[in-house]
């Protein structure tokens, strides 16, 4: 454990290079880094446009257009940085190939620390082949472990925000909470905002270990049922959809029946993620929530309460 304000002493003099800065998580990380006094160098692809660019500049970041296919160009962008933070999102060409070039650039520029784009459940405890997207992160991190740089992966479970619709667990129409296996299995949830805030603190903390594990709330399916009922003022019931094995088989069948695509999050990928969580294998422990005590963790109930009244 570090001192309560371990990152604060370095914030005013730290330069952080942020890749994947135009994504939802990336913009939030940039904002929290700037709020902590860091100099933020946001790397974006050549010719990148969109509202995120304005958001980055408004947050105080310096936007740097760079060719992500060029280690030389990335190296120039990394010179003088104290940490490279990746919030890149994609498949093999991004998570393995682009991040490898970014890593090579960080090493060449003599950046002391690197935070990869993990932000997920604990894939180190899962068997290879159980989750495509997490296998890619595992593969990149094996390369990262061999590089002469201090690395820290941030593991945060599932983004709590997904429970408001994208994750097929809390069904607001029929007022049901769907689950597989045990309704008492502890599950890890952290909001995107809390994850970004923690990542910013970790980026400014030179003493971080190889892995940091956080959960805004550890909740079972029964806890989600209570949270949904409290947030909406309407009673939710549990709906058991079968064993964990059934969910695993269903994800494999769905993958086999769907045409191949470059979609990062097809339906079967979400099913793989839920299957992983319901097995209990990737449960985060021990938790590092107290490492930066200034962070206030947002509960599942608070997130569910943010849904528009018409959707509750």
């Amino acid at each position: 454990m570090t001192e309560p304000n371990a990152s604060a002493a370095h914030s005013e003099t730290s330069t952080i290079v942020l890749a994947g800065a135009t994504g939802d998580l990336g913009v939030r990380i940039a904002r929290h880094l700037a709020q902590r006094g860091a100099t933020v160098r946001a790397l974006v692809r050549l010719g990148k446009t969109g509202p995120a660019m304005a958001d980055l500049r408004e947050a105080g970041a310096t936007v740097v257009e760079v060719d992500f296919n060029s280690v030389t160009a990335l190296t120039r962008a990394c010179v003088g940085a104290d940490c490279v933070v990746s919030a890149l999102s994609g498949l093999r060409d991004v998570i393995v190939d682009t991040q490898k070039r970014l890593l090579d650039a960080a090493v060449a520029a003599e950046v002391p620390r690197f935070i990869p784009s993990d932000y997920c459940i604990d894939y180190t405890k899962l068997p290879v082949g159980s989750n495509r997207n997490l296998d890619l992160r595992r593969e990149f991190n094996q390369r990262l472990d061999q590089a002469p740089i201090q690395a820290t992966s941030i593991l945060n479970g599932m983004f709590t925000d997904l429970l408001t619709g994208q994750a097929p667990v809390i069904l607001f129409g029929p007022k049901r909470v769907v689950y597989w296996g045990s309704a008492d299995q502890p599950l890890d949830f952290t909001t995107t905002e809390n994850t970004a805030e923690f990542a910013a603190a970790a980026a400014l903390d030179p003493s971080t270990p190889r892995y940091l594990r956080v959960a805004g709330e550890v909740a079972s399916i029964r806890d989600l049922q209570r949270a949904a009922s409290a947030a909406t003022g309407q009673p939710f019931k549990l709906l058991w959809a079968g064993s964990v094995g059934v969910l695993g088989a269903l994800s494999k069948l769905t993958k086999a029946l769907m045409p191949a695509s470059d979609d990062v999050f097809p339906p079967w990928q979400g099913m793989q993620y839920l299957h992983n969580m319901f097995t209990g294998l990737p449960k985060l422990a021990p938790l590092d929530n107290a490492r930066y005590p200034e962070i206030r963790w947002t509960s599942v109930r608070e997130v569910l309460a943010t849904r528009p009244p018409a959707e509750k």
Side-chain angles (χ1 to χ4, degrees), residues 100-183:
K100 180 59 167 61
R101 288 190 290 272
L102 184 64
L103 172 62
D104 290 343
V107 171
E110 299 183 347
V111 179
R113 301 174 58 240
F114 191 101
I115 296 178
S117 185
D118 285 348
Y119 317 112
C120 56
I121 53 180
D122 195 343
Y123 58 83
T124 67
K125 300 177 181 178
L126 293 172
V128 175
S130 67
N131 188 304
R132 178 198 63 181
N133 289 8
L134 300 188
D135 282 346
L136 295 175
R137 282 158 173 78
R138 186 202 316 270
E139 181 179 341
F140 172 73
N141 275 276
Q142 289 172 344
R143 299 187 183 189
L144 178 57
D145 285 335
Q146 297 171 1
I149 195 169
Q150 181 184 341
T152 296
S153 290
I154 296 172
L155 306 177
N156 57 271
M158 174 184 281
F159 287 124
T160 317
D161 319 60
L162 297 178
L163 292 174
T164 60
Q166 288 179 269
V169 177
I170 300 178
L171 307 181
F172 289 88
K175 305 295 185 295
R176 295 290 186 274
V177 179
V178 182
Y179 70 101
W180 292 261
S182 171

Side-chain angles (χ1 to χ4, degrees), residues 46-97:
L46 296 173
K48 181 72 175 181
T49 60
M53 302 290 280
D55 291 339
L56 287 170
R57 293 190 175 95
E58 183 179 349
T62 298
V63 176
V64 179
E65 291 192 18
V66 65
D67 180 1
F68 277 86
N69 292 314
S70 170
V71 174
T72 300
L74 288 168
T75 300
R76 286 196 297 268
C78 289
V79 170
D82 296 283
C83 181
V84 170
V85 178
S86 175
L88 293 167
S89 177
L91 298 179
R92 171 172 294 279
D93 61 322
V94 176
I95 297 302
V96 178
D97 300 336

Side-chain angles (χ1 to χ4, degrees), residues 18-302:
L18 176 62
T22 58
D24 181 35
L25 178 63
V27 170
R28 293 171 191 253
I29 293 175
R31 186 181 304 117
H32 281 289
L33 282 168
Q35 289 173 355
R36 288 174 178 268
T39 296
V40 184
R41 201 179 295 165
L43 306 188
V44 302
R45 297 187 183 278
L46 296 173
K48 181 72 175 181
T49 60
M53 302 290 280
D55 291 339
L56 287 170
R57 293 190 175 95
E58 183 179 349
T62 298
V63 176
V64 179
E65 291 192 18
V66 65
D67 180 1
F68 277 86
N69 292 314
S70 170
V71 174
T72 300
L74 288 168
T75 300
R76 286 196 297 268
C78 289
V79 170
D82 296 283
C83 181
V84 170
V85 178
S86 175
L88 293 167
S89 177
L91 298 179
R92 171 172 294 279
D93 61 322
V94 176
I95 297 302
V96 178
D97 300 336
T98 299
Q99 278 202 125
K100 180 59 167 61
R101 288 190 290 272
L102 184 64
L103 172 62
D104 290 343
V107 171
E110 299 183 347
V111 179
R113 301 174 58 240
F114 191 101
I115 296 178
S117 185
D118 285 348
Y119 317 112
C120 56
I121 53 180
D122 195 343
Y123 58 83
T124 67
K125 300 177 181 178
L126 293 172
V128 175
S130 67
N131 188 304
R132 178 198 63 181
N133 289 8
L134 300 188
D135 282 346
L136 295 175
R137 282 158 173 78
R138 186 202 316 270
E139 181 179 341
F140 172 73
N141 275 276
Q142 289 172 344
R143 299 187 183 189
L144 178 57
D145 285 335
Q146 297 171 1
I149 195 169
Q150 181 184 341
T152 296
S153 290
I154 296 172
L155 306 177
N156 57 271
M158 174 184 281
F159 287 124
T160 317
D161 319 60
L162 297 178
L163 292 174
T164 60
Q166 288 179 269
V169 177
I170 300 178
L171 307 181
F172 289 88
K175 305 295 185 295
R176 295 290 186 274
V177 179
V178 182
Y179 70 101
W180 292 261
S182 171
D184 297 308
Q185 171 61 50
L187 309 169
D188 298 310
F189 299 96
T190 309
T191 64
T192 307
E193 187 70 14
N194 276 160
T195 301
E197 186 176 6
F198 189 88
L204 297 170
D205 177 1
S207 63
T208 52
R210 180 63 183 86
Y211 290 96
L212 285 171
R213 300 171 173 87
V214 293
E217 182 173 348
V218 179
S220 68
I221 286 296
R222 297 189 198 280
D223 293 329
L224 295 186
Q225 177 192 19
R226 286 188 283 269
S229 298
T232 63
Q234 301 178 45
F236 275 65
K237 295 182 179 180
L238 299 182
L239 177 59
W240 186 69
S243 67
V244 174
V246 166
L247 178 57
L250 186 58
S251 68
K252 292 178 181 178
L253 177 62
T254 304
K255 181 180 179 181
L257 293 177
M258 289 190 67
S261 73
D262 294 329
D263 188 356
V264 179
F265 299 107
W268 56 264
Q269 172 62 45
M271 295 166 71
Q272 283 186 342
Y273 207 91
L274 286 174
H275 174 261
N276 293 154
M277 292 181 70
F278 280 119
T279 66
L281 293 176
K283 178 72 187 70
L284 300 174
L287 292 178
D288 297 292
N289 286 35
R291 187 179 183 89
Y292 311 114
E294 69 274 16
I295 296 177
R296 177 191 172 278
W297 301 97
T298 304
S299 69
V300 170
R301 176 177 174 176
E302 289 176 277

